[in-house]
Amino acid sequence: MRSTSAVSLIAALVLASTALGGPLNPPPGVPGSTMKPLSEVEPRIAINATNTPGDADSVFKITQGGSYYLTGNVVGVASKMGIEISLLTSGSVTIDLEGFTVRGTGLSLAGIDISGGSAARVEVRNGHVRGWSGVGVDLTGAESATIDGVESSQNNAGGFVVDSATIRNCKADTNSASGFRAGTATMISGSTASANSGAGFDTGTRCILTDCVAKSNTVNGFDVDSSCTLVNCTATQNTGYGIIAYLGCTLEGCVSSNNTGSGISVNQSGTLTGCVVQENGSSGFTGGGNTVYQSCVARQNGGSGFVTSFSQLTECLSVGNTGDGFSLGGITNVSKSTALSNSGHGISGGGAMLIVECSSMYNDGHGISMTLMGNTIRGNLCVGNGQGSSPGAGIHTENIGHRIEDNMCRENDIGIDVDGTRAIIVRNNCTGNATNWSIAANNSYGPIIDRSAAATAGVSGNAAASTLATTDPNANFTN
């Protein structure tokens, strides 16, 4: 009974599965595609004389919104634009150059241009624009613009011109004006401007540039207006400044090298973090006041490493520059920074400055030189200064009212040299200098204790008597 029931159940299941599965034989003929054609997924229009006929000033003219593409190179005609965008009604236009070239002639106008009409949202991508008498790609007047993967080169009036746009992975090369010229709030990333007769990148306010390169341009590499941000940008071998930035700009991780002018110039109220300038023809960093420099490096520039005033510098390095390491105006704070082997002074400045926990070593002039009144110089290490023909002090001050405390000066021509009056000099150490102390009359100082020849017993254990020869907490020492 059990065996018969099991066989009956299996047979019923097989019949049911056959009924549910449908016929096993496919229908006759070749199976048809179930996918939509490209024209339905993304309806696109070829740019040609039929779909986009030109007029008196254009080879091709787009008057309706849509997605357009090239099927071959565009060859320019005298006194005409290559592709003109002039919409009859507002809309969006996408142009895929498909890797082809929009090539101009000596007497042609712009390569791709918006000319009047209603507001348009425009995207141009993937191709080359070359040899136009006007701008290569001119999208001024667009409601919004995006340019991606386009090279614009050898154009007389510049590579790219936009109002406010997003530009990605583009290249402007050997244009007779600026490579990129952008208006307010433009974002440019992964792009290169090289060998242009104007600036590499010339932008308006509130722009953001990331991972861009400006090389061998006739004017400045980057010339950006107020409140711009540059991140990981590189400027090299430009005839003017590497980077010039105006009020309130932020630079992070930028490198500027081998430019004829200064490496980086910040007009005022800038913030620079982790930037490097090296081997520029003039000074490394230059700028107006109220600027913050954090972890920046100036190396082997033709002028001073840092030139600024009313600013704050922290953990910066200035090495091997032709001028001073840090050439500073008044009311500037410098901390935890190093000036090494510069041809001028290590750190020079005016008045009302705070120089704290810095190292200034082997500079041709003074290690620290303050010429105006009221500076605080505390906790610094000054070694081996005076490498040039003139005597160099570890610390040199003029004028009145300085506070010099807790510094170590060794192996300089003069350890501490105070030429002015009314200074307070306490708790400093001078050792191994040709002259350890040179202090003019009418200054106040703690006792100077000479321990350079003191014979003291060694210590092994938990306690020992003082060998300082003083109990004055403000004593200075020669050792």
Side-chain angles (χ1 to χ4, degrees):
M1 288 290 294
R2 292 178 182 175
S3 298
T4 304
S5 299
V7 170
S8 300
L9 178 61
I10 292 171
L13 290 173
V14 169
L15 290 172
S17 64
T18 303
L20 293 173
L24 297 178
N25 296 325
V30 179
S33 173
T34 60
M35 298 180 63
K36 292 183 179 180
L38 182 60
S39 60
E40 293 184 22
V41 176
E42 182 187 5
R44 301 207 306 169
I45 304 166
I47 297 175
N48 55 38
T50 301
N51 298 324
T52 55
D55 58 14
D57 64 357
S58 62
V59 178
F60 297 110
K61 186 172 184 177
I62 295 172
T63 59
Q64 301 293 332
S67 181
Y68 295 82
Y69 67 99
L70 288 183
T71 60
N73 295 329
V74 175
V75 179
V77 176
S79 301
K80 290 190 176 186
M81 293 172 274
I83 301 173
E84 178 184 8
I85 303 168
S86 182
L87 299 189
L88 300 176
T89 59
S90 62
S92 299
V93 172
T94 298
I95 301 175
D96 189 343
L97 303 178
E98 293 282 2
F100 293 111
T101 299
V102 181
R103 185 184 301 275
T105 67
L107 299 175
S108 55
L109 303 178
I112 300 174
D113 187 276
I114 294 177
S115 177
S118 299
R121 297 174 295 279
V122 178
E123 178 176 353
V124 180
R125 61 178 183 245
N126 186 28
H128 310 270
V129 182
R130 182 175 301 156
W132 295 85
S133 296
V135 177
V137 179
D138 186 349
L139 300 187
T140 54
E143 181 180 325
S144 66
T146 300
I147 308 172
D148 193 349
V150 176
E151 179 182 354
S152 184
S153 61
Q154 301 175 13
N155 303 290
N156 287 346
F160 300 89
V161 179
V162 297
D163 288 330
S164 179
T166 299
I167 300 175
R168 298 185 293 261
N169 305 318
C170 290
K171 182 177 180 181
D173 181 30
T174 58
N175 297 286
S176 298
S178 295
F180 295 83
R181 193 162 72 248
T184 300
T186 291
M187 300 180 65
I188 307 176
S189 62
S191 296
T192 300
S194 59
N196 300 286
S197 295
F201 296 83
D202 184 354
T203 78
T205 61
R206 297 185 288 113
C207 293
I208 300 174
L209 288 79
T210 306
D211 298 322
C212 292
V213 177
K215 180 179 180 181
S216 301
N217 298 285
T218 301
V219 191
N220 305 315
F222 295 84
D223 192 329
V224 299
D225 210 335
S226 303
S227 302
C228 288
T229 299
L230 277 67
V231 179
N232 297 334
C233 292
T234 300
T236 184
Q237 299 176 16
N238 300 286
T239 302
Y241 293 95
I243 300 172
I244 182 167
Y246 291 88
L247 178 67
C249 289
T250 299
L251 281 68
E252 299 178 6
C254 295
V255 177
S256 185
S257 65
N258 300 105
N259 301 286
T260 301
S262 297
I264 296 177
S265 177
V266 179
N267 173 260
Q268 196 172 12
S269 301
T271 301
L272 289 80
T273 305
C275 295
V276 177
V277 293
Q278 60 187 26
E279 298 180 3
N280 297 286
S282 187
S283 295
F285 295 94
T286 62
N290 303 317
T291 295
V292 175
Y293 299 84
Q294 171 71 50
S295 304
C296 293
V297 177
R299 184 183 295 115
Q300 296 178 333
N301 297 284
S304 295
F306 293 79
V307 181
T308 189
S309 60
F310 300 94
S311 296
Q312 179 173 310
L313 300 92
T314 306
E315 297 180 343
C316 294
L317 170 65
S318 188
V319 56
N321 300 286
T322 301
D324 297 340
F326 299 85
S327 180
L328 309 172
I331 318 179
T332 295
N333 296 341
V334 186
S335 63
K336 300 181 186 299
S337 296
T338 298
L340 175 65
S341 299
N342 298 285
S343 297
H345 305 308
I347 303 171
S348 68
M353 294 180 57
L354 180 63
I355 313 296
V356 180
E357 296 182 4
C358 294
S359 297
S360 188
M361 299 181 289
Y362 304 107
N363 301 285
D364 284 4
H366 303 304
I368 298 173
S369 178
M370 299 288 110
T371 57
L372 298 180
M373 67 177 67
N375 298 288
T376 297
I377 305 168
R378 182 174 68 240
N380 302 288
L381 174 64
C382 300
V383 178
N385 297 289
Q387 298 290 318
S389 57
S390 299
I395 297 173
H396 167 80
T397 64
E398 303 173 17
N399 217 291
I400 64 172
H402 306 291
R403 186 174 183 88
I404 305 169
E405 58 183 346
D406 295 315
N407 300 287
M408 166 63 80
C409 297
R410 63 181 179 85
E411 300 171 16
N412 306 283
D413 293 330
I414 305 171
I416 292 180
D417 178 24
V418 180
D419 288 346
T421 60
R422 295 163 53 186
I424 303 295
I425 307 157
V426 295
R427 298 189 302 276
N428 300 284
N429 283 39
C430 286
T431 181
N433 303 284
T435 300
N436 283 309
W437 307 88
S438 177
I439 302 174
N442 300 317
N443 289 286
S444 300
Y445 43 88
I448 298 175
I449 309 301
D450 185 1
R451 303 299 287 159
S452 59
T456 61
V459 176
S460 177
N462 297 324
S466 172
T467 61
L468 294 176
T470 182
T471 59
D472 192 319
N474 292 315
N476 300 284
F477 289 90
T478 303
N479 60 331

